[in-house]
Amino acid sequence: MKCNICEIGCELAEGKSGQCRMYINKNGQIIERFPNTYFTMFPVSIETVPLLHFYPRGKFLQVCTIGCNFKCEGCISEILASRLLSTNKKSGISNENVINKALDEDCIGIVFCLNDPAVSYFTFRDLAKKARQNNLLIGCSTNGYFTENALKELIPLIDFVNIGIKGYSDERYISCGARGSGPVFRNLKLLKESDVHVEVSTIYIKGSEDEVINSAKFVSSLSEDIPFQVMRFVPFGDAAPQIEPTIRESEGLCDKLTQYLNYVYLFNSPGTDHLNTVCPECSKIIFQREFFGPMGSRTLSYLPQGGCECSNPAFFRGEVSEVSHHEPGFMGGYRITRALEMIHAILVCLGIKDDHKLAEIWANVMETGYLEELHTSSQDLDSYFDVIEHFAALADRKKEGMELVAYMRKKLDFIRSVTNDIERPRVYYCMGYPLFALNGERIENNLVEAAGGESVNKLIDREGKPGVGISHNEFAEMNPVFIFISGFLSTPVSDSYAYCKKHGLSADALKNRRIYGLRPLWDFGSPRWILGLMYIANKLHPEKFNFDIDKEANQFYKRFYGVSFDSSRHNRSFYSVSSRQ
Ligand code: SF4
């Protein structure tokens, strides 16, 4: 029997599933395997979905299920898309719970995102009906691969959609397990003509500029006012690190796209100003935004009523919310996927390789509310060891947990014993561009202190997720002697110097050429921070430390990952240290 929900069009034999593994043919009927069941729900601001031209700063209830109809390389939601399918434990959150929660939390609407609603079609359709009955806005992020009929049934029920385009060519779609790109562009047109609010996000992989440019040209043929979000590709999963474009390259591409479209935005690029909405007529900044986690942004300021004198008043829908919503801990956008990957990163070091065990532990974390504790404990070097022990106990790997903690503890204690009474240089830690400062409380700054530096980030009295933009003056006042660039979302050191020059920044670190980039995930998100600590200690106090970093890495990788260290295969995955080449 053919499934007519998405254009992949699987043939499902009796009792069998299709590509997404989320439907089953039961007695000649296609039914959901996990109907009326969500994985999570929590309130977010709409810019973390992200949607930038729809009820700006509005509070929405974000929901997701599990599974996906696509299989894209380096997927940020790999956890939700595939790995969680291995567990039988489901949250029990129903459509009724979602509606009640949205009303209780004073949300103005509900957004289905993080995984694709095509895999929970009947549940989502029912939710949309219920949202309408309760005067709640409703929409989703989707790859837009619905069949025409399935989409036509949804259109009268939804208010907004963010279509995630994988590229323009059939080849790009085939590499994601789909049949070609045609259905997505057909659906985009249909949605736009049906007056659903549409924003488009597209992934930018290095070397695939034409895919993005051709997609932008198509979108502009529908309307040059459709917001176009460029997602700088960050190689997660087993994606090759070489296909990650730099922030600078991505900004260059965005500038080209403004030939075709009025509103082009760049994500996954801390410190960029390409997240602002600029009036296409007078170039005034209407909405000023900053990076707010993977695929996310937050509004910092905006012109009254969200417009300048000459801007088209209809460029966004709805009103600007007067109150902004602050997401606690890992909540908001795709951060929850990073939280689950942090757990995966520990479990891998304990020898847990099977998805079933992993999924069981993730389900436990969601059920017990441990995420909140993880958020705090994973920032502090000593309590990180408690986190390892917690998961070692859950995974029945206490011995392996003790071994990992003992190894890391020994290195940390040694470094601390040397830096105890040492003179401390001022150290600044950024993510992406130099003017995006990581929050003072974060692990990276705690590594700096353990390695014998004074973290100037701790002097900044504002916080974001995971940091805030700072002014030229703030940078000058801190006058760092060393600058480190995060190994999570990074920028080449040469680009950092160029950025500082362009912006007229000055600091001792620049005079003495002391900007250093951390290797991917050697400072956050995985136990590999112990290697980052040794690297930072070497740079801050070469008279005291002389760790042979490659040798240390090789020992650590062999012992806890079972592979040799190979820097050419280091992507931005938290759990994996060996990407596809
Ligand atoms: S939703 Fe798409 S991928 Fe899933 S079974 Fe149906 S046709 Fe196949």
Side-chain angles (χ1 to χ4, degrees), residues 3-10 12 18-21 23 69 118-119:
C3 172
N4 287 316
I5 293 168
C6 92
E7 290 282 0
I8 290 168
C10 306
L12 274 61
Q19 175 162 303
C20 65
R21 296 191 284 153
Y23 297 96
N69 48 346
V119 299

Side-chain angles (χ1 to χ4, degrees), residues 265-277:
Y265 301 101
L266 176 61
F267 285 77
N268 297 337
S269 305
T272 185
D273 55 9
H274 282 57
L275 273 173
N276 296 336
T277 300

Side-chain angles (χ1 to χ4, degrees), residues 446-550:
N446 294 330
L447 292 174
V448 162
E449 292 197 327
E454 179 200 348
S455 166
V456 293
N457 295 58
K458 291 184 189 279
L459 305 172
I460 302 169
D461 60 3
R462 306 185 307 287
E463 284 202 341
K465 286 185 187 285
V468 288
I470 59 167
S471 67
H472 293 202
N473 279 350
E474 283 175 301
F475 183 84
E477 271 169 29
M478 291 191 291
N479 187 20
V481 178
F482 288 88
I483 297 175
F484 289 96
I485 309 168
S486 156
F488 176 34
L489 295 176
S490 193
T491 196
V493 168
S494 55
D495 283 7
S496 294
Y497 283 118
Y499 178 96
C500 292
K501 195 170 170 200
K502 184 177 158 199
H503 288 80
L505 301 179
S506 68
D508 289 351
L510 303 176
K511 267 183 244 148
N512 300 317
R513 309 293 286 179
R514 281 179 174 162
I515 301 183
Y516 301 100
L518 267 285
R519 287 207 163 112
L521 282 304
W522 274 23
D523 52 359
F524 162 74
S526 100
R528 300 189 309 268
W529 61 251
I530 198 67
L531 297 168
L533 176 65
M534 290 184 242
Y535 175 81
I536 296 171
N538 270 2
K539 296 297 176 204
L540 298 186
H541 297 289
E543 73 291 357
K544 301 275 181 195
F545 298 106
N546 185 22
F547 291 108
D548 181 335
I549 297 294
D550 283 3

Side-chain angles (χ1 to χ4, degrees), residues 67 140 158 167 256 567:
C140 62
I158 58 173
K256 274 192 199 151
S567 62

Side-chain angles (χ1 to χ4, degrees), residues 265-327:
Y265 301 101
L266 176 61
F267 285 77
N268 297 337
S269 305
T272 185
D273 55 9
H274 282 57
L275 273 173
N276 296 336
T277 300
V278 176
C279 172
E281 299 297 326
C282 69
S283 302
K284 246 187 209 161
I285 295 177
I286 302 173
F287 284 89
Q288 190 191 8
R289 304 188 188 86
E290 73 180 2
F291 173 80
F292 201 61
M295 317 286 210
S297 68
R298 73 163 171 172
T299 301
L300 297 174
S301 62
Y302 56 97
L303 294 180
Q305 278 85 50
C308 63
E309 298 76 35
C310 63
S311 61
N312 172 3
F315 84 85
F316 69 87
R317 282 200 198 180
E319 308 86 45
V320 186
S321 168
E322 282 174 18
V323 188
S324 66
H325 171 66
H326 296 287
E327 295 86 353

